[in-house]
Amino acid sequence: MKNWGVDLGGTKIECVVIDDGKVLIRKRIPTEADQGYNHIIGQIKKLITSIATEINEQPTQIGFATPGVLDPGSQTMKNSNTVCLNGQPLEKDLKEALGIPVRLANDANCFALAEKLMGAGKQFPSAQVVFGIIMGTGVGGGLIVGDKIIGGRHGIGGEWGHNELEYNGDDCYCGKKGCTEQVISGPALERYYHRLSGEKKSLKEIAQQGDVYAEKTMDRLLEYYGKGVSSLINVIDPDLIIIGGGVGNIDLLYTDGYERIKKYIFNKGVVTTPIVKPVLGDSAGVFGATLLFN
């Protein structure tokens, strides 16, 4: 049976169909979220219909990687930066619109699942507990045990981006201050550099800059990364950590950053956890969605 997956992003909707481990077709269209929730449902249906016509086969079930998460209690979406999804019964509405079973999982969970089963995790076959970190525009994560997502009682398993990392730090959209996302995400680091230097630069430029303000910004990233990841290891102690997102491309995280973890871990400074880059790139979310019915 062919596996269908959809990655529902803020700007694009991507669908892939995998047949016997190989990509049969892959296609994307704009989300057009500014036109509202019902329009997004219509865009999804339009994309699925288009692909079904091209391959001359209808899907029997589809997995969806979503921004935010379906609350296990209310069965409505929450914590989505595509705000028109929040409070909506997305799973129910997709089932009705498409006429087939669907499953939803947070996009960070889908990233972690795909990398564990199809990507970087294949290099570590004995790794049963895998944590997938997203460090980009935001900070999130997903926890995989075996081949299953651990979503948790509230559907927020893996959401380390909204623990307080800096006391009385910047305001976060979630209502708290100093969340991990407001300290070591790309925009947060760019904001910090701007405060120091008065100049606006991209994180990529800052990482290559070499001036005193760039050095302070990189040191801030490494120190708080060490604190944040040490807490993850203290609680979960995973066999493998995979870092996705633009910030995860900074090589210092895997050298100096790894040393900073040792300062804070509850293990007398000993860290042996492999921490690696992903291998699936921006395909991880949609590939993870195809695995949700496995």
Side-chain angles (χ1 to χ4, degrees):
M1 183 176 66
K2 296 179 179 65
N3 292 336
W4 289 60
V6 171
D7 185 5
L8 174 55
T11 58
K12 67 171 176 62
I13 305 168
E14 182 173 14
C15 180
V16 67
V17 181
I18 294 180
D19 187 12
D20 196 24
K22 295 180 181 179
V23 174
L24 180 63
I25 190 171
R26 190 172 177 181
K27 194 171 185 178
R28 59 176 63 176
I29 62 172
T31 307
E32 298 176 351
D34 59 320
Q35 297 189 45
Y37 175 72
N38 289 330
H39 183 77
I40 292 176
I41 297 288
Q43 287 292 90
I44 293 169
K45 187 171 183 180
K46 176 180 169 182
L47 178 59
I48 299 302
T49 300
S50 171
I51 290 179
T53 300
E54 284 192 45
I55 66 173
N56 196 30
E57 185 173 330
Q58 296 294 323
T60 58
Q61 56 194 27
I62 303 179
F64 284 83
T66 62
V69 68
L70 191 73
D71 185 272
S74 68
Q75 291 294 297
T76 58
M77 295 294 293
K78 64 181 180 182
N79 300 338
S80 176
N81 53 10
T82 304
V83 294
C84 66
L85 297 179
N86 291 324
Q88 299 288 354
L90 182 59
E91 185 176 79
K92 173 178 172 290
D93 290 342
L94 285 172
K95 284 179 180 176
E96 290 179 358
L98 301 174
I100 55 173
V102 303
R103 284 186 185 168
L104 275 55
N106 174 261
D107 46 16
N109 287 326
C110 287
F111 160 80
L113 183 64
E115 284 292 343
K116 200 273 185 187
L117 298 180
M118 302 171 67
K122 294 177 74 173
Q123 303 166 33
F124 302 88
S126 64
Q128 286 299 300
V129 180
V130 174
F131 197 90
I133 285 175
I134 301 290
M135 290 173 62
T137 304
V139 174
L143 176 61
I144 309 299
V145 177
D147 60 355
K148 300 295 182 185
I149 293 170
I150 306 301
R153 182 177 180 86
H154 302 95
I156 56 173
E159 285 290 358
W160 75 302
H162 293 279
N163 293 322
E164 183 185 282
L165 187 58
E166 181 182 31
Y167 175 70
N168 204 32
D170 288 350
D171 291 338
C172 185
Y173 72 86
C174 75
K176 301 194 292 293
K177 286 178 175 285
C179 287
T180 302
E181 184 167 302
Q182 297 304 319
V183 182
I184 58 174
S185 68
L189 293 163
E190 291 168 358
R191 189 167 63 239
Y192 180 78
Y193 180 85
H194 180 239
R195 285 176 184 165
L196 293 178
S197 69
E199 295 184 63
K200 290 189 176 183
K201 293 185 180 294
S202 70
L203 184 59
K204 185 176 181 180
E205 291 173 319
I206 294 166
Q208 298 170 347
Q209 191 78 4
D211 63 64
V212 63
Y213 306 119
E215 288 178 1
K216 286 184 177 181
T217 302
M218 288 298 102
D219 189 68
R220 176 178 174 82
L221 165 62
L222 296 173
E223 188 68 10
Y224 279 111
Y225 166 83
K227 276 188 177 183
V229 174
S230 70
S231 295
L232 284 176
I233 297 175
N234 286 346
V235 174
I236 301 166
D237 204 8
D239 300 311
L240 174 66
I241 294 174
I242 305 166
I243 305 181
V247 182
N249 290 325
I250 295 176
D251 290 335
L252 284 172
L253 294 178
Y254 306 90
T255 53
D256 295 29
Y258 200 86
E259 293 300 311
R260 305 291 177 105
I261 296 169
K262 296 177 181 179
K263 289 176 57 178
Y264 299 104
I265 191 175
F266 183 54
N267 196 40
K268 297 182 179 178
V270 177
V271 180
T272 61
T273 314
I275 300 179
V276 301
K277 294 181 180 181
V279 302
L280 298 175
D282 65 359
S283 302
V286 73
F287 286 171
T290 70
L291 298 169
L292 294 180
F293 278 93
N294 287 4

